Amino acid sequence: MSGSASGRIEYIYLNYLWIYSWTVTKRLVDIDDALLAEVRELTGVATMKEAVNTALRQLLDTELRRQHLLRLETGRGTDLGDDEVMQGAWR
């Protein structure tokens, strides 16, 4: 494992031909202690970093699901309104 001041971390496992890398940036932020405690309790994570990353991931996943449901509901971005495509779908 190697890391640099920029926060880039790389894991390279040559025995399995698996390479994993991502970029992390250290940030100084004020976090509500009560909110953090609730997130840690609800998610079962042990660290502040895990809690923040889990909360961010869940927020992103929720928003992506909402957008997908809205797309399905409205049909926007699909060819469901195209009669020719829909006729072919029911054969």
Side-chain angles (χ1 to χ4, degrees), residues 36-45:
L36 179 62
E38 271 191 84
V39 169
R40 288 178 69 181
E41 184 177 329
L42 286 172
T43 60
V45 299

Side-chain angles (χ1 to χ4, degrees), residues 11-31:
Y11 293 96
I12 301 173
Y13 296 95
L14 296 178
N15 291 344
Y16 301 102
L17 299 175
W18 182 66
I19 298 175
Y20 184 72
S21 68
W22 76 93
T23 300
V24 273
T25 304
K26 289 193 176 264
R27 304 196 187 274
L28 179 63
V29 296
D30 295 326
I31 299 174

Side-chain angles (χ1 to χ4, degrees), residues 64-79:
L64 290 172
R65 278 192 300 275
R66 187 193 70 75
Q67 289 177 12
H68 182 64
L69 289 171
L70 183 61
R71 185 179 65 85
L72 292 174
E73 183 179 283
T74 63
R76 186 179 44 210
T78 68
D79 51 8

Side-chain angles (χ1 to χ4, degrees), residues 39-58:
V39 169
R40 288 178 69 181
E41 184 177 329
L42 286 172
T43 60
V45 299
T47 68
M48 183 186 336
K49 178 180 176 180
E50 287 177 302
V52 170
N53 286 334
T54 298
L56 289 171
R57 170 55 55 202
Q58 288 182 359

